[in-house]
């Protein structure tokens, strides 16, 4: 729903297929439109790019009045959820979320359970690179933001004490996990 400054609806639109879709991140795009990031379980309706299995990352690029310009799903045979999206310096987008898959678009593998999954796409939705980060248990990415050096900072949680989690784990029901990557997805530090 697009509203004006006093809360009056300017336009509204639904997007999806016959199963569940959810949006968890919306950003404005340089052309005055929007990029919607979330997940899709459908293989019909507005999901023309297909479904890889279970829930996929789903990105929908709309114009300033809500018309779909393009949409794309990303994932494997298990579940993937986008939690955060950002515009990149080259006009593309960085998608952050989590993945349970070891196939399909997840070519970087899976460390165990759910991993942070980061996907860099160009302005038309084509994957430029993707990377998973995690350990043998569960990692859930909740947010990301660009850094001044052209990299990204990711925040979420971890239950692991191995793999990419070299800083250790305090125990209990999970720790905050922060990961700094460069512009190509290489970990610079994690804590």
């Amino acid at each position: 729903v697009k509203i004006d400054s006093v809360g009056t609806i300017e336009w509204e639109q639904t997007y999806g297929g016959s199963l569940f879709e959810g949006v968890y991140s919306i950003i404005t795009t340089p052309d005055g439109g929007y990029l919607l990031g979330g997940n899709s379980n459908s293989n019909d309706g507005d999901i023309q790019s297909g479904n890889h299995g279970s829930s996929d990352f789903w990105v929908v690029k709309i114009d300033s009045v809500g018309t779909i310009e393009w949409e794309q799903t990303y994932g494997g045979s298990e579940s993937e959820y986008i939690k955060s999206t950002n515009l990149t310096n080259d006009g593309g987008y960085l998608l952050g979320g989590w993945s349970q898959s070891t196939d399909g678009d997840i070519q970087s593998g899976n460390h165990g359970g759910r991993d942070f999954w980061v996907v860099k796409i160009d302005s038309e939705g084509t994957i430029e690179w993707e990377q998973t980060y995690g350990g043998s248990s569960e990692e859930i990415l909740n947010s990301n933001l660009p850094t001044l050096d052209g990299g990204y900072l990711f925040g979420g949680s971890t239950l692991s004490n191995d793999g990419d989690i070299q800083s250790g784990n305090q125990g209990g029901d999970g720790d905050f996990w922060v990961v700094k990557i460069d512009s190509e997805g290489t970990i610079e530090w994690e804590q």
Side-chain angles (χ1 to χ4, degrees), residues 2 11 23-38 58-64 69-70 82-89 91-96 119 121-123 144-146 152:
K2 170 67 170 69
W11 57 263
V23 171
Y24 301 101
S25 177
I26 301 173
I27 58 171
T28 55
T29 56
D31 61 2
Y34 304 92
L35 187 78
L36 316 177
W58 190 37
V59 174
V60 183
K61 171 63 175 79
I62 59 174
D63 66 16
S64 62
E69 295 181 328
W70 57 264
I82 289 179
K83 293 301 223 164
S84 186
T85 54
N86 274 300
L87 189 65
T88 58
N89 291 337
Y93 305 97
L94 196 73
L95 317 175
V119 181
I121 60 173
D122 67 17
S123 61
N144 75 55
L145 61 98
Y152 297 89

mmCIF file of all heavy atoms in Angstrom, residues 2 11 23-38 58-64 69-70 82-89 91-96 119 121-123 144-146 152:
data_model
loop_
_atom_site.group_PDB
_atom_site.id
_atom_site.type_symbol
_atom_site.label_atom_id
_atom_site.label_comp_id
_atom_site.label_asym_id
_atom_site.label_seq_id
_atom_site.Cartn_x
_atom_site.Cartn_y
_atom_site.Cartn_z
ATOM 1 N N LYS A 2 0.698 2.135 -0.947
ATOM 2 C CA LYS A 2 1.414 3.414 -0.997
ATOM 3 C C LYS A 2 0.469 4.471 -0.461
ATOM 4 O O LYS A 2 -0.655 4.624 -0.944
ATOM 5 C CB LYS A 2 1.826 3.733 -2.440
ATOM 6 C CG LYS A 2 2.374 5.146 -2.653
ATOM 7 C CD LYS A 2 3.705 5.372 -1.971
ATOM 8 C CE LYS A 2 4.339 6.682 -2.381
ATOM 9 N NZ LYS A 2 3.671 7.885 -1.903
ATOM 10 N N TRP A 11 -2.155 4.153 -3.921
ATOM 11 C CA TRP A 11 -2.371 2.935 -4.696
ATOM 12 C C TRP A 11 -2.086 1.733 -3.799
ATOM 13 O O TRP A 11 -1.432 1.854 -2.771
ATOM 14 C CB TRP A 11 -1.542 2.881 -5.981
ATOM 15 C CG TRP A 11 -0.047 3.015 -5.846
ATOM 16 C CD1 TRP A 11 0.692 4.146 -6.004
ATOM 17 C CD2 TRP A 11 0.891 1.958 -5.540
ATOM 18 N NE1 TRP A 11 2.029 3.871 -5.803
ATOM 19 C CE2 TRP A 11 2.181 2.546 -5.521
ATOM 20 C CE3 TRP A 11 0.777 0.602 -5.294
ATOM 21 C CZ2 TRP A 11 3.334 1.814 -5.268
ATOM 22 C CZ3 TRP A 11 1.929 -0.132 -5.024
ATOM 23 C CH2 TRP A 11 3.183 0.474 -5.018
ATOM 24 N N VAL A 23 6.753 -10.314 2.191
ATOM 25 C CA VAL A 23 7.768 -9.291 1.952
ATOM 26 C C VAL A 23 8.371 -8.901 3.289
ATOM 27 O O VAL A 23 7.640 -8.611 4.244
ATOM 28 C CB VAL A 23 7.171 -8.040 1.267
ATOM 29 C CG1 VAL A 23 8.188 -6.907 1.215
ATOM 30 C CG2 VAL A 23 6.693 -8.356 -0.128
ATOM 31 N N TYR A 24 9.717 -8.899 3.364
ATOM 32 C CA TYR A 24 10.414 -8.549 4.590
ATOM 33 C C TYR A 24 11.320 -7.340 4.438
ATOM 34 O O TYR A 24 11.853 -6.844 5.422
ATOM 35 C CB TYR A 24 11.229 -9.749 5.087
ATOM 36 C CG TYR A 24 10.343 -10.941 5.350
ATOM 37 C CD1 TYR A 24 10.261 -11.984 4.439
ATOM 38 C CD2 TYR A 24 9.541 -10.995 6.484
ATOM 39 C CE1 TYR A 24 9.427 -13.069 4.665
ATOM 40 C CE2 TYR A 24 8.694 -12.064 6.715
ATOM 41 C CZ TYR A 24 8.643 -13.100 5.801
ATOM 42 O OH TYR A 24 7.801 -14.157 6.025
ATOM 43 N N SER A 25 11.492 -6.870 3.202
ATOM 44 C CA SER A 25 12.356 -5.725 2.960
ATOM 45 C C SER A 25 11.864 -4.983 1.724
ATOM 46 O O SER A 25 11.555 -5.602 0.705
ATOM 47 C CB SER A 25 13.800 -6.197 2.749
ATOM 48 O OG SER A 25 14.641 -5.109 2.452
ATOM 49 N N ILE A 26 11.788 -3.664 1.819
ATOM 50 C CA ILE A 26 11.439 -2.806 0.678
ATOM 51 C C ILE A 26 12.439 -1.661 0.644
ATOM 52 O O ILE A 26 12.682 -1.020 1.667
ATOM 53 C CB ILE A 26 10.013 -2.227 0.801
ATOM 54 C CG1 ILE A 26 8.969 -3.337 0.890
ATOM 55 C CG2 ILE A 26 9.714 -1.290 -0.372
ATOM 56 C CD1 ILE A 26 7.562 -2.831 1.173
ATOM 57 N N ILE A 27 13.032 -1.426 -0.533
ATOM 58 C CA ILE A 27 13.916 -0.273 -0.694
ATOM 59 C C ILE A 27 13.489 0.511 -1.927
ATOM 60 O O ILE A 27 12.893 -0.030 -2.855
ATOM 61 C CB ILE A 27 15.400 -0.678 -0.810
ATOM 62 C CG1 ILE A 27 15.640 -1.628 -1.993
ATOM 63 C CG2 ILE A 27 15.891 -1.296 0.491
ATOM 64 C CD1 ILE A 27 17.119 -1.891 -2.286
ATOM 65 N N THR A 28 13.787 1.806 -1.930
ATOM 66 C CA THR A 28 13.553 2.625 -3.101
ATOM 67 C C THR A 28 14.696 2.391 -4.081
ATOM 68 O O THR A 28 15.825 2.094 -3.694
ATOM 69 C CB THR A 28 13.463 4.114 -2.746
ATOM 70 O OG1 THR A 28 14.639 4.507 -2.043
ATOM 71 C CG2 THR A 28 12.240 4.385 -1.875
ATOM 72 N N THR A 29 14.401 2.533 -5.365
ATOM 73 C CA THR A 29 15.397 2.356 -6.416
ATOM 74 C C THR A 29 15.658 3.695 -7.099
ATOM 75 O O THR A 29 14.815 4.602 -7.025
ATOM 76 C CB THR A 29 14.924 1.305 -7.431
ATOM 77 O OG1 THR A 29 13.650 1.681 -7.957
ATOM 78 C CG2 THR A 29 14.796 -0.067 -6.766
ATOM 79 N N PRO A 30 16.816 3.864 -7.741
ATOM 80 C CA PRO A 30 17.167 5.160 -8.333
ATOM 81 C C PRO A 30 16.158 5.689 -9.348
ATOM 82 O O PRO A 30 16.066 6.899 -9.559
ATOM 83 C CB PRO A 30 18.524 4.885 -9.002
ATOM 84 C CG PRO A 30 19.096 3.746 -8.245
ATOM 85 C CD PRO A 30 17.928 2.895 -7.849
ATOM 86 N N ASP A 31 15.374 4.797 -9.975
ATOM 87 C CA ASP A 31 14.395 5.236 -10.972
ATOM 88 C C ASP A 31 13.052 5.637 -10.358
ATOM 89 O O ASP A 31 12.087 5.876 -11.072
ATOM 90 C CB ASP A 31 14.184 4.134 -12.017
ATOM 91 C CG ASP A 31 13.643 2.847 -11.418
ATOM 92 O OD1 ASP A 31 13.383 2.794 -10.195
ATOM 93 O OD2 ASP A 31 13.478 1.879 -12.182
ATOM 94 N N GLY A 32 12.962 5.693 -9.036
ATOM 95 C CA GLY A 32 11.720 6.082 -8.377
ATOM 96 C C GLY A 32 10.795 4.917 -8.061
ATOM 97 O O GLY A 32 9.716 5.110 -7.510
ATOM 98 N N GLY A 33 11.230 3.722 -8.398
ATOM 99 C CA GLY A 33 10.441 2.535 -8.090
ATOM 100 C C GLY A 33 10.876 1.917 -6.780
ATOM 101 O O GLY A 33 11.490 2.584 -5.925
ATOM 102 N N TYR A 34 10.601 0.616 -6.656
ATOM 103 C CA TYR A 34 10.891 -0.085 -5.410
ATOM 104 C C TYR A 34 11.370 -1.501 -5.710
ATOM 105 O O TYR A 34 10.987 -2.088 -6.718
ATOM 106 C CB TYR A 34 9.638 -0.175 -4.532
ATOM 107 C CG TYR A 34 9.029 1.169 -4.246
ATOM 108 C CD1 TYR A 34 8.032 1.692 -5.072
ATOM 109 C CD2 TYR A 34 9.471 1.943 -3.166
ATOM 110 C CE1 TYR A 34 7.486 2.941 -4.826
ATOM 111 C CE2 TYR A 34 8.927 3.192 -2.912
ATOM 112 C CZ TYR A 34 7.935 3.685 -3.743
ATOM 113 O OH TYR A 34 7.397 4.925 -3.508
ATOM 114 N N LEU A 35 12.185 -2.040 -4.798
ATOM 115 C CA LEU A 35 12.567 -3.439 -4.845
ATOM 116 C C LEU A 35 11.988 -4.105 -3.606
ATOM 117 O O LEU A 35 12.266 -3.683 -2.487
ATOM 118 C CB LEU A 35 14.086 -3.617 -4.874
ATOM 119 C CG LEU A 35 14.534 -5.068 -5.105
ATOM 120 C CD1 LEU A 35 14.407 -5.425 -6.580
ATOM 121 C CD2 LEU A 35 15.958 -5.282 -4.612
ATOM 122 N N LEU A 36 11.157 -5.124 -3.830
ATOM 123 C CA LEU A 36 10.551 -5.883 -2.748
ATOM 124 C C LEU A 36 11.343 -7.166 -2.573
ATOM 125 O O LEU A 36 11.606 -7.873 -3.545
ATOM 126 C CB LEU A 36 9.097 -6.229 -3.073
ATOM 127 C CG LEU A 36 8.213 -5.133 -3.666
ATOM 128 C CD1 LEU A 36 6.828 -5.685 -3.986
ATOM 129 C CD2 LEU A 36 8.129 -3.953 -2.722
ATOM 130 N N GLY A 37 11.726 -7.487 -1.350
ATOM 131 C CA GLY A 37 12.465 -8.705 -1.073
ATOM 132 C C GLY A 37 11.752 -9.537 -0.031
ATOM 133 O O GLY A 37 11.343 -9.019 1.000
ATOM 134 N N GLY A 38 11.591 -10.820 -0.307
ATOM 135 C CA GLY A 38 10.922 -11.700 0.645
ATOM 136 C C GLY A 38 11.055 -13.145 0.231
ATOM 137 O O GLY A 38 12.111 -13.579 -0.190
ATOM 138 N N TRP A 58 12.466 -14.274 -3.056
ATOM 139 C CA TRP A 58 11.695 -13.717 -4.170
ATOM 140 C C TRP A 58 11.903 -12.219 -4.191
ATOM 141 O O TRP A 58 11.674 -11.538 -3.180
ATOM 142 C CB TRP A 58 10.207 -14.041 -4.058
ATOM 143 C CG TRP A 58 9.404 -13.708 -5.292
ATOM 144 C CD1 TRP A 58 9.804 -13.844 -6.583
ATOM 145 C CD2 TRP A 58 8.070 -13.209 -5.347
ATOM 146 N NE1 TRP A 58 8.801 -13.456 -7.451
ATOM 147 C CE2 TRP A 58 7.720 -13.068 -6.711
ATOM 148 C CE3 TRP A 58 7.129 -12.876 -4.379
ATOM 149 C CZ2 TRP A 58 6.476 -12.592 -7.124
ATOM 150 C CZ3 TRP A 58 5.889 -12.407 -4.786
ATOM 151 C CH2 TRP A 58 5.563 -12.266 -6.156
ATOM 152 N N VAL A 59 12.379 -11.705 -5.326
ATOM 153 C CA VAL A 59 12.614 -10.278 -5.519
ATOM 154 C C VAL A 59 11.665 -9.786 -6.602
ATOM 155 O O VAL A 59 11.561 -10.402 -7.674
ATOM 156 C CB VAL A 59 14.079 -10.007 -5.931
ATOM 157 C CG1 VAL A 59 14.280 -8.551 -6.270
ATOM 158 C CG2 VAL A 59 15.016 -10.427 -4.818
ATOM 159 N N VAL A 60 10.974 -8.691 -6.318
ATOM 160 C CA VAL A 60 10.036 -8.093 -7.269
ATOM 161 C C VAL A 60 10.420 -6.631 -7.448
ATOM 162 O O VAL A 60 10.429 -5.862 -6.479
ATOM 163 C CB VAL A 60 8.574 -8.195 -6.782
ATOM 164 C CG1 VAL A 60 7.621 -7.622 -7.823
ATOM 165 C CG2 VAL A 60 8.207 -9.634 -6.444
ATOM 166 N N LYS A 61 10.745 -6.240 -8.673
ATOM 167 C CA LYS A 61 11.038 -4.840 -8.992
ATOM 168 C C LYS A 61 9.762 -4.222 -9.540
ATOM 169 O O LYS A 61 9.197 -4.715 -10.521
ATOM 170 C CB LYS A 61 12.166 -4.763 -10.022
ATOM 171 C CG LYS A 61 12.428 -3.369 -10.592
ATOM 172 C CD LYS A 61 12.885 -2.382 -9.552
ATOM 173 C CE LYS A 61 13.255 -1.049 -10.178
ATOM 174 N NZ LYS A 61 12.095 -0.203 -10.511
ATOM 175 N N ILE A 62 9.292 -3.173 -8.861
ATOM 176 C CA ILE A 62 8.078 -2.485 -9.315
ATOM 177 C C ILE A 62 8.404 -1.032 -9.634
ATOM 178 O O ILE A 62 9.394 -0.477 -9.142
ATOM 179 C CB ILE A 62 6.942 -2.558 -8.269
ATOM 180 C CG1 ILE A 62 7.360 -1.926 -6.933
ATOM 181 C CG2 ILE A 62 6.487 -4.005 -8.067
ATOM 182 C CD1 ILE A 62 6.240 -1.832 -5.900
ATOM 183 N N ASP A 63 7.557 -0.416 -10.465
ATOM 184 C CA ASP A 63 7.726 1.002 -10.762
ATOM 185 C C ASP A 63 7.060 1.848 -9.676
ATOM 186 O O ASP A 63 6.579 1.316 -8.668
ATOM 187 C CB ASP A 63 7.232 1.332 -12.172
ATOM 188 C CG ASP A 63 5.719 1.155 -12.340
ATOM 189 O OD1 ASP A 63 4.979 1.078 -11.336
ATOM 190 O OD2 ASP A 63 5.282 1.080 -13.501
ATOM 191 N N SER A 64 6.984 3.143 -9.881
ATOM 192 C CA SER A 64 6.493 4.062 -8.851
ATOM 193 C C SER A 64 5.010 3.920 -8.549
ATOM 194 O O SER A 64 4.532 4.440 -7.538
ATOM 195 C CB SER A 64 6.788 5.507 -9.257
ATOM 196 O OG SER A 64 6.105 5.816 -10.467
ATOM 197 N N GLU A 69 7.950 -4.742 -12.951
ATOM 198 C CA GLU A 69 8.876 -4.600 -14.073
ATOM 199 C C GLU A 69 9.623 -5.907 -14.310
ATOM 200 O O GLU A 69 9.827 -6.294 -15.446
ATOM 201 C CB GLU A 69 9.854 -3.456 -13.809
ATOM 202 C CG GLU A 69 9.145 -2.115 -13.741
ATOM 203 C CD GLU A 69 10.096 -0.958 -13.507
ATOM 204 O OE1 GLU A 69 11.128 -1.128 -12.826
ATOM 205 O OE2 GLU A 69 9.799 0.131 -14.007
ATOM 206 N N TRP A 70 10.045 -6.562 -13.229
ATOM 207 C CA TRP A 70 10.624 -7.899 -13.310
ATOM 208 C C TRP A 70 10.550 -8.546 -11.926
ATOM 209 O O TRP A 70 10.367 -7.866 -10.929
ATOM 210 C CB TRP A 70 12.050 -7.910 -13.858
ATOM 211 C CG TRP A 70 13.072 -7.083 -13.132
ATOM 212 C CD1 TRP A 70 13.474 -5.818 -13.435
ATOM 213 C CD2 TRP A 70 13.853 -7.489 -11.981
ATOM 214 N NE1 TRP A 70 14.441 -5.393 -12.562
ATOM 215 C CE2 TRP A 70 14.691 -6.399 -11.657
ATOM 216 C CE3 TRP A 70 13.934 -8.637 -11.216
ATOM 217 C CZ2 TRP A 70 15.596 -6.437 -10.583
ATOM 218 C CZ3 TRP A 70 14.815 -8.687 -10.147
ATOM 219 C CH2 TRP A 70 15.633 -7.595 -9.851
ATOM 220 N N ILE A 82 14.590 -14.125 2.301
ATOM 221 C CA ILE A 82 15.263 -12.827 2.297
ATOM 222 C C ILE A 82 14.806 -12.071 3.534
ATOM 223 O O ILE A 82 13.620 -12.014 3.833
ATOM 224 C CB ILE A 82 14.903 -11.993 1.050
ATOM 225 C CG1 ILE A 82 15.533 -12.554 -0.211
ATOM 226 C CG2 ILE A 82 15.350 -10.533 1.235
ATOM 227 C CD1 ILE A 82 15.189 -11.783 -1.465
ATOM 228 N N LYS A 83 15.750 -11.455 4.215
ATOM 229 C CA LYS A 83 15.428 -10.610 5.356
ATOM 230 C C LYS A 83 15.847 -9.160 5.138
ATOM 231 O O LYS A 83 15.374 -8.272 5.832
ATOM 232 C CB LYS A 83 16.114 -11.145 6.620
ATOM 233 C CG LYS A 83 15.585 -12.482 7.065
ATOM 234 C CD LYS A 83 14.111 -12.420 7.353
ATOM 235 C CE LYS A 83 13.780 -13.153 8.619
ATOM 236 N NZ LYS A 83 12.493 -12.852 9.160
ATOM 237 N N SER A 84 16.774 -8.916 4.200
ATOM 238 C CA SER A 84 17.306 -7.577 4.028
ATOM 239 C C SER A 84 17.802 -7.393 2.602
ATOM 240 O O SER A 84 18.357 -8.316 2.014
ATOM 241 C CB SER A 84 18.454 -7.377 5.029
ATOM 242 O OG SER A 84 18.919 -6.066 5.008
ATOM 243 N N THR A 85 17.596 -6.199 2.061
ATOM 244 C CA THR A 85 18.081 -5.866 0.719
ATOM 245 C C THR A 85 18.761 -4.500 0.758
ATOM 246 O O THR A 85 18.397 -3.640 1.558
ATOM 247 C CB THR A 85 16.933 -5.822 -0.315
ATOM 248 O OG1 THR A 85 15.924 -4.924 0.148
ATOM 249 C CG2 THR A 85 16.323 -7.184 -0.521
ATOM 250 N N ASN A 86 19.753 -4.323 -0.118
ATOM 251 C CA ASN A 86 20.442 -3.038 -0.241
ATOM 252 C C ASN A 86 20.785 -2.771 -1.687
ATOM 253 O O ASN A 86 21.065 -3.705 -2.453
ATOM 254 C CB ASN A 86 21.746 -3.039 0.574
ATOM 255 C CG ASN A 86 21.521 -2.660 2.011
ATOM 256 O OD1 ASN A 86 21.042 -1.574 2.289
ATOM 257 N ND2 ASN A 86 21.850 -3.563 2.922
ATOM 258 N N LEU A 87 20.797 -1.506 -2.046
ATOM 259 C CA LEU A 87 21.306 -1.061 -3.340
ATOM 260 C C LEU A 87 22.823 -1.077 -3.275
ATOM 261 O O LEU A 87 23.413 -0.694 -2.259
ATOM 262 C CB LEU A 87 20.798 0.351 -3.624
ATOM 263 C CG LEU A 87 21.030 0.937 -5.000
ATOM 264 C CD1 LEU A 87 20.266 0.146 -6.059
ATOM 265 C CD2 LEU A 87 20.596 2.394 -5.027
ATOM 266 N N THR A 88 23.482 -1.548 -4.347
ATOM 267 C CA THR A 88 24.941 -1.558 -4.387
ATOM 268 C C THR A 88 25.453 -0.392 -5.225
ATOM 269 O O THR A 88 24.705 0.208 -5.998
ATOM 270 C CB THR A 88 25.467 -2.893 -4.957
ATOM 271 O OG1 THR A 88 24.932 -3.089 -6.266
ATOM 272 C CG2 THR A 88 25.070 -4.054 -4.058
ATOM 273 N N ASN A 89 26.735 -0.089 -5.063
ATOM 274 C CA ASN A 89 27.330 1.062 -5.758
ATOM 275 C C ASN A 89 27.247 0.958 -7.276
ATOM 276 O O ASN A 89 27.256 1.975 -7.965
ATOM 277 C CB ASN A 89 28.801 1.210 -5.343
ATOM 278 C CG ASN A 89 28.954 1.635 -3.898
ATOM 279 O OD1 ASN A 89 28.044 2.212 -3.321
ATOM 280 N ND2 ASN A 89 30.098 1.320 -3.308
ATOM 281 N N GLY A 91 24.715 -0.170 -9.005
ATOM 282 C CA GLY A 91 23.324 -0.172 -9.471
ATOM 283 C C GLY A 91 22.614 -1.494 -9.313
ATOM 284 O O GLY A 91 21.445 -1.623 -9.676
ATOM 285 N N GLY A 92 23.305 -2.489 -8.766
ATOM 286 C CA GLY A 92 22.673 -3.766 -8.485
ATOM 287 C C GLY A 92 22.134 -3.810 -7.071
ATOM 288 O O GLY A 92 21.928 -2.762 -6.433
ATOM 289 N N TYR A 93 21.946 -5.028 -6.572
ATOM 290 C CA TYR A 93 21.359 -5.201 -5.249
ATOM 291 C C TYR A 93 22.075 -6.317 -4.497
ATOM 292 O O TYR A 93 22.536 -7.283 -5.096
ATOM 293 C CB TYR A 93 19.873 -5.557 -5.363
ATOM 294 C CG TYR A 93 19.091 -4.557 -6.161
ATOM 295 C CD1 TYR A 93 18.824 -4.777 -7.507
ATOM 296 C CD2 TYR A 93 18.645 -3.372 -5.583
ATOM 297 C CE1 TYR A 93 18.119 -3.849 -8.259
ATOM 298 C CE2 TYR A 93 17.941 -2.432 -6.324
ATOM 299 C CZ TYR A 93 17.679 -2.680 -7.664
ATOM 300 O OH TYR A 93 16.985 -1.758 -8.405
ATOM 301 N N LEU A 94 22.126 -6.187 -3.178
ATOM 302 C CA LEU A 94 22.622 -7.241 -2.316
ATOM 303 C C LEU A 94 21.448 -7.766 -1.495
ATOM 304 O O LEU A 94 20.767 -6.998 -0.819
ATOM 305 C CB LEU A 94 23.722 -6.732 -1.394
ATOM 306 C CG LEU A 94 24.544 -7.833 -0.751
ATOM 307 C CD1 LEU A 94 25.480 -8.462 -1.786
ATOM 308 C CD2 LEU A 94 25.352 -7.304 0.421
ATOM 309 N N LEU A 95 21.219 -9.071 -1.579
ATOM 310 C CA LEU A 95 20.134 -9.729 -0.880
ATOM 311 C C LEU A 95 20.720 -10.529 0.268
ATOM 312 O O LEU A 95 21.675 -11.283 0.073
ATOM 313 C CB LEU A 95 19.379 -10.676 -1.816
ATOM 314 C CG LEU A 95 19.070 -10.163 -3.226
ATOM 315 C CD1 LEU A 95 18.436 -11.269 -4.053
ATOM 316 C CD2 LEU A 95 18.175 -8.933 -3.154
ATOM 317 N N GLY A 96 20.166 -10.389 1.444
ATOM 318 C CA GLY A 96 20.658 -11.128 2.601
ATOM 319 C C GLY A 96 19.533 -11.873 3.278
ATOM 320 O O GLY A 96 18.429 -11.342 3.440
ATOM 321 N N VAL A 119 23.361 -12.899 -1.656
ATOM 322 C CA VAL A 119 23.323 -12.991 -3.111
ATOM 323 C C VAL A 119 23.481 -11.591 -3.695
ATOM 324 O O VAL A 119 22.710 -10.682 -3.366
ATOM 325 C CB VAL A 119 21.986 -13.607 -3.598
ATOM 326 C CG1 VAL A 119 21.978 -13.729 -5.124
ATOM 327 C CG2 VAL A 119 21.731 -14.952 -2.935
ATOM 328 N N ILE A 121 23.090 -9.439 -6.989
ATOM 329 C CA ILE A 121 22.464 -9.463 -8.319
ATOM 330 C C ILE A 121 22.698 -8.134 -9.023
ATOM 331 O O ILE A 121 22.958 -7.116 -8.380
ATOM 332 C CB ILE A 121 20.942 -9.759 -8.230
ATOM 333 C CG1 ILE A 121 20.203 -8.712 -7.401
ATOM 334 C CG2 ILE A 121 20.704 -11.168 -7.692
ATOM 335 C CD1 ILE A 121 18.688 -8.835 -7.402
ATOM 336 N N ASP A 122 22.600 -8.147 -10.346
ATOM 337 C CA ASP A 122 22.704 -6.900 -11.100
ATOM 338 C C ASP A 122 21.341 -6.199 -11.124
ATOM 339 O O ASP A 122 20.381 -6.664 -10.506
ATOM 340 C CB ASP A 122 23.271 -7.145 -12.495
ATOM 341 C CG ASP A 122 22.352 -7.955 -13.401
ATOM 342 O OD1 ASP A 122 21.138 -8.088 -13.135
ATOM 343 O OD2 ASP A 122 22.863 -8.466 -14.415
ATOM 344 N N SER A 123 21.231 -5.114 -11.846
ATOM 345 C CA SER A 123 20.015 -4.300 -11.855
ATOM 346 C C SER A 123 18.823 -4.999 -12.502
ATOM 347 O O SER A 123 17.685 -4.545 -12.349
ATOM 348 C CB SER A 123 20.278 -2.968 -12.568
ATOM 349 O OG SER A 123 20.652 -3.205 -13.918
ATOM 350 N N ASN A 144 21.337 -6.271 6.971
ATOM 351 C CA ASN A 144 22.641 -5.947 6.390
ATOM 352 C C ASN A 144 22.672 -4.479 6.057
ATOM 353 O O ASN A 144 21.629 -3.850 5.876
ATOM 354 C CB ASN A 144 22.967 -6.835 5.183
ATOM 355 C CG ASN A 144 22.214 -6.503 3.926
ATOM 356 O OD1 ASN A 144 22.240 -5.378 3.459
ATOM 357 N ND2 ASN A 144 21.544 -7.478 3.346
ATOM 358 N N LEU A 145 23.868 -3.926 6.011
ATOM 359 C CA LEU A 145 24.017 -2.539 5.592
ATOM 360 C C LEU A 145 25.355 -2.361 4.914
ATOM 361 O O LEU A 145 26.324 -3.045 5.246
ATOM 362 C CB LEU A 145 23.866 -1.575 6.771
ATOM 363 C CG LEU A 145 24.825 -1.656 7.938
ATOM 364 C CD1 LEU A 145 25.923 -0.628 7.791
ATOM 365 C CD2 LEU A 145 24.073 -1.402 9.223
ATOM 366 N N PRO A 146 25.399 -1.444 3.937
ATOM 367 C CA PRO A 146 26.663 -1.189 3.246
ATOM 368 C C PRO A 146 27.618 -0.428 4.158
ATOM 369 O O PRO A 146 27.193 0.339 5.025
ATOM 370 C CB PRO A 146 26.244 -0.344 2.036
ATOM 371 C CG PRO A 146 24.922 0.239 2.391
ATOM 372 C CD PRO A 146 24.285 -0.668 3.389
ATOM 373 N N TYR A 152 30.065 -4.879 3.262
ATOM 374 C CA TYR A 152 28.766 -4.990 3.937
ATOM 375 C C TYR A 152 28.950 -5.571 5.327
ATOM 376 O O TYR A 152 29.864 -6.357 5.576
ATOM 377 C CB TYR A 152 27.816 -5.884 3.134
ATOM 378 C CG TYR A 152 27.521 -5.289 1.794
ATOM 379 C CD1 TYR A 152 28.336 -5.570 0.710
ATOM 380 C CD2 TYR A 152 26.473 -4.393 1.624
ATOM 381 C CE1 TYR A 152 28.111 -4.985 -0.519
ATOM 382 C CE2 TYR A 152 26.242 -3.798 0.391
ATOM 383 C CZ TYR A 152 27.063 -4.095 -0.670
ATOM 384 O OH TYR A 152 26.845 -3.499 -1.885
#
